[in-house]
Structures are given as C-alpha cells and as structure tokens.
C-alpha cells in the first residue's frame, strides 16, 4: 500500500505519505502548512490515521524549508510533544526521525531589506524553535543522515528508499551567505525566484515498490535538475516519476517549459489556493505541452478557476479536493499493485 495526500494547507504545503503491507504501515509528514492548518486539518488527519493507538507514530517528519506556510504546523506538533514532556505525560505523538535545515547559529534575525525584515525574522525564529525543540525531544541530528540535509544523502526509512536531491551543499551555503549580504536578486527571467529560503528547500525523491515520488518544496527547477543529474537520476537528461509535487505551489518563477520536458509524471499535485497568484495558469500549459497528449492527472488542493478543465482530447484530467475531504489523496499502490 502506498498513498500520497496533499492536505488543504491553504497557500502552503502539508503532505502525508503512507506505505507498508498489512498492519505494518508507516506515515511520513512533509511540511505542516501555515497558521490554522494544524488545528483545522493536519492534527485531525494524523489522529485519524493513527487509529486507536495511544501515540500516533510518524516514521519521518521533514520540514522542506523555514517559510511559515511550510513550518508552522510542524512547529505546533513539536510544541505539543514538548508540553507533554514538560508535564511528564505520554505524548500524543511519536516521531522516529525529524529532518530539517535550521538557520545556522549566528545568523542575523533579519537582513537589511526593511520590507522583508518582519517576515524573514519570523521565519528564522520559527526555524530556530524547530532546531531547539528537536534537541529537547531527542530528535536532533537528522538521523540517519547526520548533520545538514543536502543533496547526495540517502536513507532507507521503513522500506522506503529516499534520495536527497536538494539543496546541494555549496548551493545551500551560498543562499545563506546571500541572505546575510541581503543581495538575493533575480538574474534572469527564467527560474527567477530569488527567495533564499525557497532555494534552500529540501527536495526528496522517494521510491517504494517501483513507485517514485518527487517532493520539491519551493525549490527552483534548475536546482532540482542539477541535483537529479548529480544523483545520476536523469537518463538522457530526463526522468519520469509516478508523482510530482509541483514546485512552489505552481509558481511560474520556479519552473519553465524545459523543466517539465525534463521531469514528467503520471500525477502532478499542486498545493495552493490562489494566494500570490499560485498556481500560475502558464504552468498547466507547460505541463500539458510536455506530455503531448499522453494521459496524466493534475490534482489540486483547492478549486482554481485559472486551471479550468481542458478539452478531453488533451488526454489529461484535473481532480480537485472534495469540499468535505481534508486533502486530495492519490492511491499509488494497493495490496494488488499500482493503481490511480
């Protein structure tokens, strides 16, 4: 069994992967969405997946990067564990592995750009809180990777093979340095997202029983392609995966038509609600062009008028989260084999 679920995380990401056989099932959480998602959607969903257990076990919790629309729910999860720890009560949650790249010690609370200072200061503060709570709860060190989570690292998590595609070590160091100098500027129209936190996103390539998933955070497509190339995952410059979480909520600043030509998927998942113009309608056109009439599905966590249903002759479908459901769920593998 293998399922992927993108919860209704408003303008952010909160992704749940569930896999295993029989009663031996495992849950991974990648990002926790912005304020309100933990209480309204994520916490109830995790409890539902836990069944009647006294503690909900999460085989892996990962924070792709420290922006509030990805980290807030994870921070609230860790705070609940801390509160139980302080009160000497059994925690409602059990985390086996926590992966994150917190701000490095000594990093300034904000850069010189006054307009961005408040948001950046809050993001760095939240990142430091995750780092400190990880230490308190015995979850420090990004086990079994050890140290900073960067491209080239690999792990097996309960039978799930995981390759870290990004960020690359030099890339991550450069982004933090650029932020400290406050000179993070776009240099070209393509791949123009200059947000240093987005560029430092942890990108994961997951594989289980022949099914592959590319989880991209808010990373830029050129960085993703470079990481895939270094990992030896591009065959003739191309990779096909079963499922791709479209980078940065479908922003056109993070991808290009060439990116979708290089990385194709059977399922494209977009987590967004229209905030900041995400997803951009051009992104759907780029995806459709890359498949040239082949069959695939685009999954949306919220209705997007700009992502209107296309002519059926285009060969793909658009599936939107039902209003009464916590997320859009894709069944990738059942006990009998892969299915959609």
């Amino acid at each position: 069994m293998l399922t992927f679920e993108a919860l209704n995380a408003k303008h952010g990401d909160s992704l749940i992967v569930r896999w295993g056989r029989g009663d031996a099932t495992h849950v991974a959480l990648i990002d926790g969405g912005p304020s309100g998602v933990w209480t309204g959607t994520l916490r109830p969903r995790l409890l539902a997946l836990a069944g009647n257990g006294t503690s909900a076990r999460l085989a892996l919790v990962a924070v792709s990067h420290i922006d509030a629309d990805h980290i807030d729910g994870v921070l609230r999860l860790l705070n609940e564990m801390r509160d139980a720890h302080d009160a000497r009560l059994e925690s409602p949650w059990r985390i086996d592995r926590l992966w994150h790249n917190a701000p490095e010690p000594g990093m300034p609370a904000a850069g010189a750009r006054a307009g961005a200072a408040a948001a950046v200061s809050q993001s760095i503060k939240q990142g430091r809180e995750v780092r400190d709570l990880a230490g308190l709860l015995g979850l420090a060190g990004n086990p079994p990777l050890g140290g900073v989570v960067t491209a080239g690292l690999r792990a097996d998590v309960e039978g799930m093979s995981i390759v870290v595609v990004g960020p690359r070590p030099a890339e991550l160091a450069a982004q933090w340095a650029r932020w400290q100098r406050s000179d993070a500027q776009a240099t070209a129209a393509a791949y123009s997202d200059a947000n240093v936190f987005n560029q430092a996103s942890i990108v994961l390539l997951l594989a289980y029983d022949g099914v592959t998933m590319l989880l991209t955070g808010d990373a830029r497509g050129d960085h993703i392609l470079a990481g895939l190339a270094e990992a030896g995952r591009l065959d003739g410059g191309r990779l096909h995966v079963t499922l791709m979480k479209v980078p940065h909520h479908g922003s056109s600043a993070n991808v290009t038509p060439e990116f979708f030509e290089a990385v194709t998927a059977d399922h494209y998942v977009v987590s967004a609600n229209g905030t900041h113009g995400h997803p951009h309608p051009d992104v759907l056109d780029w995806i459709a062009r890359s498949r040239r009439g082949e069959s695939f599905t685009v999954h949306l966590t919220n209705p997007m008028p700009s992502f209107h249903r296309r002519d059926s002759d285009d060969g793909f479908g658009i599936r939107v989260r039902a209003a009464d459901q916590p997320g859009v769920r894709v069944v990738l593998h059942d006990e009998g084999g892969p299915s959609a």
Side-chain angles (χ1 to χ4, degrees):
M1 179 269 292
L2 174 62
T3 62
F4 175 90
E5 191 168 2
L7 298 182
N8 177 19
K10 303 180 183 179
H11 57 285
D13 276 0
S14 186
L15 314 174
I16 294 175
V17 179
R18 190 164 177 249
W19 72 101
R21 294 179 177 81
D23 294 332
T25 59
H26 312 284
V27 175
L29 170 66
I30 294 88
D31 291 335
S35 177
V37 170
W38 171 250
T39 301
T41 306
L42 177 53
R43 190 179 196 277
R45 184 62 181 142
L46 290 179
L47 288 174
L49 291 175
N52 297 320
T54 55
S55 293
R57 181 188 172 196
L58 301 172
L60 171 66
V61 174
V63 177
S64 66
H65 62 297
I66 66 175
D67 275 346
D69 60 329
H70 294 253
I71 198 173
D72 186 88
V74 174
L75 185 56
R76 294 178 186 274
L77 163 64
L78 296 175
N79 272 314
E80 282 199 9
M81 295 178 66
R82 180 204 58 192
D83 291 345
H85 174 273
D86 291 348
R88 298 186 178 182
L89 298 174
E90 183 176 11
S91 173
W93 315 103
R94 173 185 164 189
I95 297 175
D96 294 342
R97 306 161 187 86
L98 174 65
W99 294 356
H100 67 97
N101 286 336
E104 296 179 356
M107 180 170 295
R113 293 172 295 160
V120 170
S121 178
Q122 177 64 13
S123 293
I124 291 179
K125 177 177 179 293
Q126 288 179 316
R128 286 173 171 157
E129 287 183 59
V130 166
R131 181 191 63 201
D132 293 345
L133 286 167
L136 174 67
L137 297 169
L139 295 170
N142 294 321
L145 303 176
V148 180
V149 182
T150 52
L153 297 176
R154 302 166 186 261
D156 183 285
V157 176
E158 306 295 349
M160 174 85 73
S161 170
I162 303 179
V163 176
V164 181
V165 175
R168 293 174 296 167
E171 198 170 82
L172 179 60
Q175 295 317 312
W176 288 129
R178 286 176 67 193
W179 169 251
Q180 289 175 300
R181 296 196 308 268
S182 300
D183 68 349
Q185 301 294 325
T187 57
Y191 301 121
S192 60
D193 183 357
N195 182 294
V196 294
F197 299 150
N198 293 350
Q199 294 183 46
S201 288
I202 294 172
V203 179
L204 302 176
L205 180 63
L206 281 58
Y208 181 77
D209 272 5
V211 175
T212 51
M213 291 175 282
L214 182 63
L215 309 184
T216 59
D218 285 359
R220 276 186 7 191
D222 53 342
H223 295 169
I224 296 169
L225 292 176
L228 288 170
E230 290 183 5
R233 297 295 168 141
L234 295 181
D235 183 4
R238 297 178 183 273
L239 170 70
H240 183 79
V241 295
T242 313
L243 181 146
M244 180 203 303
K245 202 287 294 187
V246 176
H248 198 190
H249 321 292
S251 169
S252 60
N254 292 67
V255 291
T256 64
E258 291 75 21
F259 172 78
F260 289 115
E261 291 283 350
V263 183
T264 57
D266 299 323
H267 301 273
Y268 299 82
V269 180
V270 181
S271 180
N273 68 353
T275 300
H276 309 303
H278 300 157
H280 195 285
D282 284 352
V283 171
L284 179 60
D285 290 332
W286 297 342
I287 292 172
R289 241 183 288 163
S290 73
R291 302 309 305 276
R292 297 178 180 86
E294 296 174 343
S295 178
F296 64 92
T297 305
V298 176
H299 305 264
L300 303 173
T301 58
N302 288 285
M304 291 290 107
S306 60
F307 266 48
H308 58 83
R309 186 169 184 84
R310 301 277 292 268
D311 190 308
S312 59
D313 290 342
D314 284 342
F316 69 90
I318 296 179
R319 180 174 168 234
V320 183
R321 176 186 60 86
D324 62 346
Q325 294 298 308
V328 59
R329 182 169 174 265
V330 186
V331 178
L332 299 166
H333 203 306
D334 61 21
E335 296 295 340
S339 69

